[in-house]
Amino acid sequence: MMLIVQRRKGKITSGVLFLFSFFFFVGTAGGYYTALQKTFNEDFIYDKDYETFQFSVLILYFALSFILFILNCFADMRLKPSQIPKRQSPEERASFLSLLTFWWFNPMAVLGYKKPLTGDDMWELNDNNKSENLQAKFDKYWLPLSKKLNSHHNQVKVSLSRRYSEMPADDCVKVTISPNEYEKDISKLSIFTPIVKTFGFQLFGTGLLKLGASVITFANPIILE
């Protein structure tokens, strides 16, 4: 079910499925080891009720969990190798394990070891890292705030226009907003909220990693003592 949901979302790999299969495999490995001990180790206290059928089922269960883990180490291939654009970044079709270990970057590292890299050797940016896509996400939260400020200025101008419309023609003045009022409104316009809404998940994840690294660095000398 989880695999079907991930595919419907257009994902070729899933960290959730990988972690599930990994812990599932580790959990069944303990039962498999116990089964081997009961079967082949003479010093192990053998359970007389432990039948051959149960042992066979456990071996099959362990084998299936291992196959599930191996399958989740690879990403789904949606395109044939001949259909993949030459300069497409391998990151876009890398599995979760490859992303976790940066294995997808090995071809570029090997090529850089063999010869100096040029602009033609570079891959295209991932769609999620292109400025046009990032700007579209940022504008989704920034433009409403900017429009709200402009709308407020327009309302002030309309109010001033109505106030001065009843004045004689000789006393006609230009309707403007004072610099102090404009700076006051600008000071209320913050870029912090759009940035958090656009990159909140990445910032939160990076913050957790940094916090964990700092805690380990701080606790390491204490533990060694």
Side-chain angles (χ1 to χ4, degrees), residues 3 12-23 25 65-77 93-104:
L3 181 62
I12 61 174
T13 185
S14 172
V16 176
L17 288 175
F18 174 81
L19 294 176
F20 170 79
S21 61
F22 172 74
F23 288 113
F25 168 68
S65 66
F66 178 73
I67 294 174
L68 178 64
F69 171 67
I70 294 299
L71 291 177
N72 280 285
C73 290
F74 301 93
D76 294 340
M77 294 297 295
R93 55 183 187 276
S95 66
F96 178 78
L97 181 61
S98 179
L99 295 173
L100 197 64
T101 59
F102 286 92
W103 190 263
W104 60 271

Side-chain angles (χ1 to χ4, degrees), residues 161-176:
S161 298
R162 291 177 179 176
R163 183 183 305 175
Y164 294 127
S165 62
E166 300 177 356
M167 297 179 63
D170 296 338
D171 297 334
C172 182
V173 295
K174 185 178 180 180
V175 178
T176 59

Side-chain angles (χ1 to χ4, degrees), residues 77 79-86:
M77 294 297 295
L79 298 175
K80 297 180 180 179
S82 58
Q83 297 176 331
I84 298 176
K86 183 179 180 180

